[in-house]
Amino acid sequence: MTELTVLDRAACQRRDADDPLRGFRDDFIIPTDTIYLDGNSLGARPKGAAERAAAVIEDEWGEGLIRSWNTAGWFELPAALGEKVSGLVGGGDGSTVVTDTTSINLFKAASAALRIQAEDRPERRVILTQRENFPSDIYMLQGLAEQLDDGYEVRLVDDAEVTAGFPTTMTDEVALVVLTHVNYRTGRLFDMRSTTEAIHAGGALAIWDLCHSAGALPIDLAGGGADMAVGCTYKFLNGGPGSPAFIWVAEEHRNRFAQPLSGWWSHAKPFEMSPGYAPAEGIRRFLTGTQGIVSMSVAEVGLDVAARADMGAVRAKSLELSDLFIELVETRLSHHPVEIVTPREHEHRGSQVSIAHEEGFAIMSALIARGIIGDYREPSILRFGLTPLYLGFADVWDTVEALRDILDNRLWDTPEFKVRGAVT
Ligand SMILES: *Cc1c(COP(=O)(O)O)cnc(C)c1O
């Protein structure tokens, strides 16, 4: 017998009470009277982050001084944290380091992949990426193509072309395809395994950007056949503002690739201080120079919380939250011109709900003024990131009700909600 479910706040609270991930909320410090729906842009602060930063500054730096490179494990942090990220994205042992930014890591990975192709398939000069990719990824690829100055060209493809397996764009000119796993604006999720198969069938290599999927859903990088991958730790992994990114390389390329930012941290024996370059074996080869140890140490706190969570349960709750969000928008905001742009099919949905409305910016400003924090992305998109570790079903209810009040009463329509800061 199917139960008739009444959708009201009490029903959402009951779901919160039954939520197996509910306890994780206590692992985070979220300001009171705040519903945080921007964990896909900057994750919330895990408990212990401030204490970790203080311990690094006061004890490891203050007392240990330079000895801490060895005694506090600073030198090994990129690889040690890499193992933790790898556990979350199915990378395998010795496959991942945490270092630099996503933009810089993408430049290194794309350059390394093109060098592999220059040996294996030397005629190929085209890099494909999504037209709707996060712009920094496109800019980095264009910068790399110009830098190489050898006829390399970046071609932009529509999301539908990617989903269909590149029927019109995969030619024997394509050396490399760089794809972001979840579209940052719409929340569309691409299937890694089948898409990578299509890329390999065309003779190209595949780099995946996991910024919007790492920590939000189960990922099987090694099993999915990817060649290289990059991603953030400050979004769903809650590593802190500007925390270092990660970079992963498949086993078959691991001792073969060469990257362009070949600083001393990528050297086989950095402290021999030799004038001759010799790359380290394995993934350390993707390092460049000295890292921000305070930021890296704090990132570990977020990774340790994620490591305790079952990614299957995280994904299940994420889909339940986004289903609820979509259903509430459809039933309670149906008298307003709002359009849900996030795909309805679970297999095509990441961990966010995006809604288009012409006055999106002012509406989001009005929500933020009430402590309900999402963000706005051009054009006209209100973006709500759903982090299952600290977000509940009643939070989603309250968010949609606040939206309803703001829309019904045109509360967004005041000059103060139309002023834009440098960061939106
Ligand atoms: C967030 C994000 C970035 C950010 O890159 P940074 O170098 O950390 O500024 C890059 N790519 C994608 C797809 C992102 O979502």
Side-chain angles (χ1 to χ4, degrees):
M1 204 178 84
T2 50
E3 222 177 292
L4 217 126
T5 51
V6 184
L7 203 46
D8 56 15
R9 193 171 196 281
C12 294
Q13 286 174 309
R14 282 196 297 277
R15 291 178 76 175
D16 282 331
D18 291 341
D19 170 15
L21 296 176
R22 184 157 182 74
F24 278 96
R25 198 187 171 93
D26 294 335
D27 285 291
F28 294 90
I29 296 173
I30 310 219
T32 43
D33 300 326
T34 300
I35 298 177
Y36 194 58
L37 297 142
D38 219 350
N40 56 333
S41 203
L42 173 63
R45 171 160 72 114
K47 272 186 192 153
E51 291 77 3
R52 182 79 188 106
V56 173
I57 292 168
E58 288 168 13
D59 307 338
E60 297 181 6
W61 179 19
E63 299 294 327
L65 291 166
I66 199 163
R67 293 167 290 201
S68 285
W69 284 106
N70 290 315
T71 55
W74 289 352
F75 188 68
E76 296 304 328
L77 271 182
L81 268 58
E83 289 303 299
K84 295 189 177 190
V85 171
S86 175
L88 293 165
V89 298
D93 293 345
S95 63
T96 312
V97 279
V98 169
T99 186
D100 298 330
T101 66
T102 300
S103 302
I104 290 171
N105 285 341
L106 184 64
F107 185 88
K108 294 186 292 191
S111 170
L114 290 178
R115 281 174 80 161
I116 290 170
Q117 287 288 52
E119 287 175 19
D120 294 354
R121 298 177 184 85
E123 304 307 319
R124 296 182 178 226
R125 287 291 178 280
V126 170
I127 306 166
L128 300 182
T129 193
Q130 293 128 323
R131 186 183 312 282
E132 287 195 41
N133 202 344
F134 190 82
S136 192
D137 292 27
I138 302 176
Y139 304 157
M140 294 310 281
L141 295 172
Q142 287 169 338
L144 174 63
E146 276 170 36
Q147 177 80 26
L148 292 173
D149 193 26
D150 195 18
Y152 283 96
E153 179 196 335
V154 178
R155 287 190 195 153
L156 303 179
V157 299
D158 292 331
D159 283 0
E161 171 75 4
V162 178
T163 309
F166 308 94
T168 62
T169 49
M170 183 56 73
T171 66
D172 60 11
E173 300 169 290
V174 179
L176 173 65
V177 183
V178 176
L179 296 174
T180 293
H181 200 193
V182 175
N183 179 312
Y184 75 101
R185 268 187 337 109
T186 64
R188 172 174 293 279
L189 167 69
F190 297 89
D191 183 67
M192 183 179 290
R193 187 190 295 267
S194 63
T195 310
T196 304
E197 271 169 20
I199 293 166
H200 287 168
L205 295 180
I207 296 179
W208 287 91
D209 183 328
L210 309 180
C211 277
H212 285 274
S213 51
L217 46 102
I219 299 173
D220 182 13
L221 268 179
D227 294 288
M228 298 185 191
V230 299
C232 286
T233 64
Y234 56 75
K235 292 175 180 166
F236 287 104
L237 293 172
N238 307 303
S243 62
F246 62 88
I247 184 165
W248 171 90
V249 62
E251 193 165 11
E252 61 177 302
H253 306 304
R254 210 167 292 154
N255 288 316
R256 176 179 178 199
F257 74 89
Q259 64 108 336
L261 305 182
S262 47
W264 70 316
W265 278 52
S266 72
H267 195 280
K269 294 188 170 143
F271 287 94
E272 285 197 349
M273 301 290 180
S274 153
Y277 181 72
E281 287 294 302
I283 188 65
R284 284 197 79 94
R285 192 178 292 192
F286 258 137
L287 298 178
T288 295
T290 310
Q291 295 299 299
I293 295 298
V294 179
S295 180
M296 179 114 47
S297 303
V298 170
E300 188 168 16
V301 180
L303 292 176
D304 285 342
V305 175
R308 282 193 277 112
D310 169 33
M311 277 299 136
V314 168
R315 173 64 171 163
K317 181 176 172 188
S318 159
L319 289 171
E320 285 174 32
L321 289 169
S322 55
D323 278 344
L324 173 67
F325 206 123
I326 290 170
E327 186 179 353
L328 290 175
V329 168
E330 282 176 336
T331 52
R332 304 188 63 86
L333 306 181
S334 55
H335 51 300
H336 290 290
V338 291
E339 183 204 342
I340 293 166
V341 295
T342 300
R344 309 299 170 108
E345 314 80 35
H346 285 176
E347 68 269 30
H348 296 311
R349 194 192 302 161
S351 198
Q352 72 189 60
V353 172
S354 298
I355 301 171
H357 187 292
E358 241 177 37
E359 295 296 340
F361 181 82
I363 295 165
M364 183 52 78
S365 303
L367 266 178
I368 292 172
R370 297 181 175 207
I372 300 178
I373 304 177
D375 64 20
Y376 172 78
R377 285 292 175 267
E378 293 291 350
S380 7
I381 289 191
L382 296 128
R383 202 169 64 144
F384 299 96
L386 304 171
T387 303
L389 296 185
Y390 51 76
L391 200 76
F393 295 93
D395 294 328
V396 170
W397 174 273
D398 292 342
T399 299
V400 178
E401 286 308 288
L403 257 176
R404 194 157 73 99
D405 183 35
I406 288 165
L407 288 168
D408 282 355
N409 299 302
R410 291 183 70 88
L411 301 178
W412 52 267
D413 197 6
T414 74
E416 64 165 308
F417 292 144
K418 297 177 184 176
V419 183
R420 301 195 182 202
V423 175
T424 59

